[in-house]
Amino acid sequence: MLDVPHEAKVRGHQRAPSDSKEFHEVTKRDALRLLEHDVDRLLETTEKARQPALKAEMGRFADLFGRFIQEEGPALDWNKIQKLPENAVMNYSNLKAPKNEQIRNMLDKLVVIKLNGGLGTSMGCHGPKSVIPVRSDLTFLDLTVQQIEHLNKTYDANVPLVLMNSFNTDEDTEKIVRKYKGFRVQIHTFNQSCFPRISREHYLPVAKDFEIEKDMESWYPPGHGDFYDTFRNSGLLKKFIEEGREYCFLSNIDNLGATVDLNILNKLVGEERATTPVEFVMEVTDKTRADVKGGTLIQMENKLRLLEIAQVPPEHVDDFKSVKTFKFFNTNNIWANLAAIDRVLRERTLNMEIIVNNKTLENGTRVIQLETAVGAAMKCFDGAIGINVPRSRFLPVKKSSDLLLVMSNLYTLKNGSLVMSPQRMFPTTPLVKLGENHFSKVKEFLGRFANIPDIIELDHLTVSGDVTFGRGVSLRGTVIIIANHGDRIDIPAGAILENKIVSGNMRILDH
C-alpha cells in the first residue's frame, strides 16, 4: 500500500485537487521504482558478460516508461497548431537534377538504411517480411540490393546498405545476406532494442527471465523511433561520419517506391544545397481518402513536426482525417543529417512522442508496449522540411491487395525499381479490396490466380468470398465480385470484365 500524506484534506470522498496530484505523483514514483526493481531482477537471470549491454538497454526502457507515466495523455493542444509556413513543404517538381559528373561525389556522402524489423506473419509467411517474393521471384531485400548495386555500378560509387533488424528477424537476415557477398554493395546490420512488454494491470514486465527465445511473446521491438539510439550504439554512426558521409536515407523495406532519389540528394549535398543546412527531410505525398489515418505534418511552437492520429483529441479526429485541412501524409521516407543525429543524441534533446500499443497475449494477459516513431524526431532537428513527392515514392506492400498491384502489368521492373507502365492513363493506382478470409495469406492469394490479371485500365476492384481467376483475365473500370457463403465463382480464362458486378450465381451485370 502507498503512504498517503497526512495533510491530505478529505472532503467527503474527494481529495482536494492539489492533494490528488500529490497522490498521483507518489503513485508514479512508486510505479517507476517497482519497474526498475523488476528489471534488475530480470538482469540477474542472464550471464555476467551480457549484463552491461543489457543494463544500458533496460536503462533506455526505464526512461521510456518514466516518460510514459509522467505524460497526462496522448492528446496535444489542438489550439497550438499553427498554419504551415509557405516554405515548410517543398514541391518535388521544383527540385533540380544534379549534373552527371557530380553524382558520384554526392553518393559517397550517403548511407541507405532499411527498417527490417517486421515479420511476414500478417501475410501468412514465416520469417522476416523482407524475404517474401514480390516480383519475378525477387524479395524485398533482393530488389533493394539490386537498386543500390545499380547505383554503385552506374556512378562508380560506394553507397552502403544498412539493415535495422529486430530480435525477430536478425538470425534469418544474417543467413540471407551471405548470398549477396559477390555483389557491389557493402551490407551492414544492427539490431534495434528488445524491450519487455508490461502488464496493463500492474505495469510490470510479464517476462520471468531474459531467455527471450523461450518466451518471445513477452518481448517486443519498440518501434522505429529506436533507430537513433541503436544506430549510434552499433558504432555505425561514428564509422560513417568518419568516412565523410553526411546523410542517411531511411525507409521501410516493404515500401517499394523508396529508392535513392538524386534530386533530393542534390538538395542536401549537391549544387542545390541550402545555405542553412537542412538537417531533416520528411517525404510527404498528397493525402487521398485511402490515407486518412496516416501521420501528417504540422507547425507547432515554430517547429515542423509529425502528427499521428493517436495524438489527436477525440473531438478533432474528423478534422485530422480531412483531406482539405491536412493535405499531406508521411511516407516514412526520411533523410537525416548524420552529424545532427550525433548532436541531438549527445545533447539528449531527442524527444519523440510515446505510442502506447495495447495487445492481448495468447494466454489472455493484457499488455502494453511503448513505442516511438522515427519521424517524430523531426521537431528536434534544425531546418527540417517536408518534400511533397509523387505518389510513386509510396508503394508499401502490407496486404495481398498491395501484392496484386506490384505483381501486375501496372509495373515493369528496372534495376530493382518498379516503374509504372506508360500505358496507364493516370498516375494513381487502382483501389483494390480483397476479402480477408480467402486472400489474406500469400500462398492462398497466389493459388486463386492462374496468373495476375491485366489491370492497366482498372479503377476499383472488390473481391469477396471464394473466387478464382483463370489465365489472361482483364479487369477494367470498377469490378465487384462477390461469392455468397457456400458459393464459388470461377472467372473463366480470357474474360474481360469492364464495369461489372459479378454476384454469387455467376450472373454478370452491368455496373
Side-chain angles (χ1 to χ4, degrees), residues 120-125 129 132 397-404 433-449 463-465 467:
T121 39
S122 64
M123 294 176 78
C125 298
K129 187 175 181 184
I132 296 175
V397 180
K398 304 287 183 196
K399 297 178 175 171
S400 54
S401 51
D402 301 321
L403 209 48
L404 176 72
K433 293 178 182 171
L434 301 177
E436 287 288 310
N437 293 343
H438 295 84
F439 289 87
S440 63
K441 309 277 186 277
V442 173
K443 194 175 171 188
E444 212 170 39
F445 157 82
L446 292 172
R448 294 189 168 271
F449 295 92
V463 182
S464 178
V467 179

Side-chain angles (χ1 to χ4, degrees), residues 170-415:
D170 181 53
E171 199 177 322
D172 288 335
T173 303
E174 288 301 326
K175 289 176 192 161
I176 291 154
V177 296
R178 289 179 201 149
K179 75 174 183 179
Y180 305 117
K181 277 267 192 292
F183 287 68
R184 191 168 163 176
V185 184
Q186 277 182 25
I187 301 177
H188 304 269
T189 60
F190 70 96
N191 261 10
Q192 69 179 117
S193 304
C194 175
F195 285 176
R197 284 174 165 155
I198 50 181
S199 156
R200 233 185 300 177
E201 307 306 316
H202 48 63
Y203 280 2
L204 293 174
V206 292
K208 300 284 181 282
D209 54 45
F210 243 107
E211 292 193 46
I212 294 160
E213 290 74 21
K214 286 186 183 171
D215 185 17
M216 299 279 266
E217 257 209 325
S218 295
W219 302 85
Y220 72 101
H224 40 60
D226 184 51
F227 156 73
Y228 302 100
D229 271 310
T230 49
F231 184 47
R232 189 249 322 254
N233 295 344
S234 71
L236 289 170
L237 176 61
K238 184 171 185 277
K239 169 187 160 64
F240 292 136
I241 290 173
E242 285 172 357
E243 284 177 11
R245 299 190 186 273
E246 293 183 26
Y247 280 84
C248 63
F249 170 49
L250 178 140
S251 62
N252 298 355
I253 198 150
D254 65 4
N255 179 5
L256 293 174
T259 56
V260 171
D261 187 281
L262 296 176
N263 295 10
I264 297 177
L265 190 59
N266 193 27
K267 172 76 185 159
L268 299 175
V269 300
E271 274 199 335
E272 294 300 306
R273 186 183 211 139
T275 44
T276 52
V278 174
E279 291 186 348
F280 193 99
V281 171
M282 179 181 287
E283 291 186 36
V284 296
T285 194
D286 291 347
K287 190 153 82 168
T288 68
R289 279 178 307 196
D291 317 306
V292 290
K293 290 184 178 175
T296 192
L297 272 186
I298 58 167
Q299 180 87 350
M300 195 166 172
E301 292 164 346
N302 300 317
K303 281 275 194 182
L304 208 52
R305 59 197 283 172
L306 176 66
L307 175 65
E308 300 276 13
I309 195 164
Q311 299 161 257
V312 177
E315 65 274 19
H316 289 290
V317 167
D318 286 344
D319 297 332
F320 175 83
K321 289 181 176 179
S322 156
V323 179
K324 283 182 185 159
T325 315
F326 298 106
K327 297 184 180 71
F328 311 115
F329 80 98
N330 170 27
T331 63
N332 217 41
N333 300 347
I334 306 282
W335 304 71
N337 182 285
L338 298 176
I341 293 174
D342 185 52
R343 185 192 73 235
V344 296
L345 287 167
R346 273 188 292 104
E347 294 177 357
R348 297 179 69 88
T349 52
L350 194 65
N351 172 26
M352 292 165 283
E353 288 76 19
I354 294 170
I355 300 159
V356 181
N357 203 337
N358 292 297
K359 301 265 182 185
T360 303
L361 304 185
E362 277 181 13
N363 64 7
T365 305
R366 298 188 317 148
V367 296
I368 55 175
Q369 52 189 56
L370 306 176
E371 303 175 9
T372 54
V374 68
M378 186 177 207
K379 63 181 185 294
C380 310
F381 291 88
D382 296 330
I385 60 167
I387 295 181
N388 185 13
V389 296
R391 184 74 185 203
S392 56
R393 291 192 57 72
F394 184 66
L395 192 58
V397 180
K398 304 287 183 196
K399 297 178 175 171
S400 54
S401 51
D402 301 321
L403 209 48
L404 176 72
L405 295 176
V406 301
M407 293 176 85
S408 75
N409 62 342
L410 264 186
Y411 297 98
T412 51
L413 193 58
K414 193 178 173 191
N415 304 313

